[in-house]
Every structure is written in C-alpha cells, then in structure tokens.
Amino acid sequence: MRLSPFLAGPLQSALRLLLPLRCLVCSEPGHDGLDLCRACMAELPWSGYACHRCALPLPKGALPVCGICRDESPPQTATHASLLYLPPVDALLRRYKFHQDLAAGRLLAQLMQRHPPPWSCPPLAPVPLHVRRLRQRGYNQAAELCRLLDQPVWRGLRRRRHTDPQSERTAEQRRDNLFDAFEVHGAVPPRLTVVDDVMTTGSTVLEIAETLRLVGAREVRVWVCARVP
C-alpha cells in the first residue's frame, strides 16, 4: 500500500534516525550527511557560469547576459539554477516529481542549499499546481522544496486553469499553453523568489514573473533546482 506523501515524509524522517545514510543513485553508503555517496557526489553537474537573467549555461568569459535575454529582457530580475538537468540529477528529479520519492526531494533540497543564489531569497513562492494535477500527484513538488529549504514562503500564487503537460512542446507552444494560467490572491510582496524543480525553456517562470509584476511586485527572482542546458 502506498503511503500518502504527508504521512511518508514524517515516517522517512523517523527512519533516518535509525537507518544509515544510503546513496539514492547507487545504494553505496552515504557521505557528508547526504543520501549520496562520495563517487556520485563527485559526478554532480553543479551549475557554473550562466546567464544572470535566465540561468542558461554560458562559456567562461562570455557576457553575463545571454543573447536571447539581451534581445528581449525577461520579466524576472535574475535566475539561479543550483544544478544542471544532467545525470544523476535528472533521474532523481523524475523520481521525486512523478514517483512520490520524497527522499529524493529531500536530497535535492539539500543540494540546493549547498549552492544557493547569490542574493537574499525570502519569501519563496512555489510554482503552483492546478487542483486537478495536485490530486493526481498527491503533492506539489515545488512547494515541498520550499518547505525543505526552510525559508519564509508566500502562498498567494495560484494556477487559475488546468493546462496540458509542457513536455514535447516547442517554446512558443509552451508560452501559449500557459497564457493567463496564473493569478495572485492577496497582497504581493515587493520582492520575492519563485521556486521550481526544473527550468526547461523558462516559459512557466516567465508567465509567473509577468503576472507578479503586473500586480505590483518590483523584483521577481527565480531559483530552480536544475536547468536544462
């Protein structure tokens, strides 16, 4: 019988006090307080030099803003990705997002804490799920990351309509799919950081940042666990 994520989280925390750390990638003993062994930790694709506005990886020595963002400045002030969406991070994120593997989510949040943005983050604003998708998945992976990051969270962002999955869509189709998909309830903070698990083309955070700026947010920053290079 599958446990509800809300029951599985406390149960996993209790088990961690009794069981040794174990690598979630290869099952070897964990290292440095993580469920990740020394060898797999050495293979982590940490993000390096990247565009300040969209976190797209850039070659060293390039301008700090990519050509796309120079041609059309995005509504977010800055974007930071802690990791790149490459092995073994991609598999961990799929386990977390689609298979209720909250242990993988906890590990990913710990990795985000080890490579945070170069700015003060709070409050965090998780990318919302529509209630229909939330019922299917059982939890919001972005909201769970915010909880694990242990920083103040603002929950006034809502998804006003159900949208089709973004996978296998072009960047233009993704923007069209998300048009007018989000709304704000209550007063918006003047500065906040939107949090999500993966950033692919950036369509989701672009739409959210535009929505937040329209209702009064002066600075919208973005922090994602992983960026597709």
Side-chain angles (χ1 to χ4, degrees):
M1 180 178 67
R2 176 178 290 180
L3 286 174
S4 163
F6 303 103
L7 296 176
L11 179 58
Q12 288 176 347
S13 297
L15 288 174
R16 283 180 60 82
L17 299 176
L18 303 174
L19 301 177
L21 295 171
R22 186 65 60 183
C23 182
L24 297 181
V25 178
C26 70
S27 298
E28 289 294 312
H31 170 70
D32 198 20
L34 300 175
D35 282 318
L36 197 66
C37 70
R38 187 189 297 269
C40 290
M41 190 179 300
E43 297 298 319
L44 287 174
W46 297 105
S47 64
Y49 188 66
C51 175
H52 178 70
R53 300 299 294 272
C54 73
L56 187 71
L58 295 173
K60 290 184 178 179
L63 293 173
V65 178
C66 72
I68 297 173
C69 292
R70 290 199 304 271
D71 291 342
E72 186 175 354
S73 182
Q76 69 266 28
T77 306
T79 302
H80 175 78
S82 296
L83 297 144
L84 296 178
Y85 192 73
L86 296 170
V89 172
D90 53 355
L92 287 170
L93 277 163
R94 287 193 295 270
R95 287 167 54 177
Y96 171 52
K97 188 170 184 175
F98 300 115
H99 301 287
Q100 293 192 341
D101 191 337
L102 297 186
R106 182 184 61 247
L107 172 60
L108 292 165
Q110 290 171 327
L111 296 177
M112 291 174 71
Q113 289 174 320
R114 295 193 177 202
H115 190 190
W119 64 77
S120 177
C121 292
L124 306 181
V127 171
L129 291 180
H130 188 268
V131 63
R132 188 189 307 177
R133 187 69 48 80
L134 184 60
R135 288 170 181 160
Q136 292 172 346
R137 190 167 296 168
Y139 64 100
N140 179 347
Q141 71 277 0
E144 182 67 9
L145 283 177
C146 287
R147 185 186 69 81
L148 293 165
L149 290 169
D150 195 25
Q151 296 191 35
V153 177
W154 176 72
R155 302 184 183 278
L157 189 63
R158 309 286 175 82
R159 192 177 290 249
R160 63 189 299 169
R161 62 179 179 84
H162 181 70
T163 55
D164 294 327
Q166 291 284 80
S167 58
E168 300 182 3
R169 291 175 178 267
T170 66
E172 183 176 355
Q173 289 171 337
R174 287 170 181 250
R175 291 301 305 273
D176 291 342
N177 187 43
L178 290 171
F179 178 73
D180 201 30
F182 302 97
E183 62 185 1
V184 171
H185 288 239
V188 62
R191 297 176 179 83
L192 71 165
T193 298
V194 175
V195 173
D196 205 1
D197 55 342
V198 181
M199 181 172 175
T200 306
T201 64
S203 301
T204 301
V205 296
L206 283 172
E207 184 67 26
I208 287 175
E210 287 179 351
T211 300
L212 292 170
R213 294 291 295 271
L214 285 172
V215 295
R218 295 199 297 272
E219 288 187 14
V220 179
R221 301 172 189 256
V222 177
W223 184 11
V224 296
C225 178
R227 175 69 154 99
V228 174

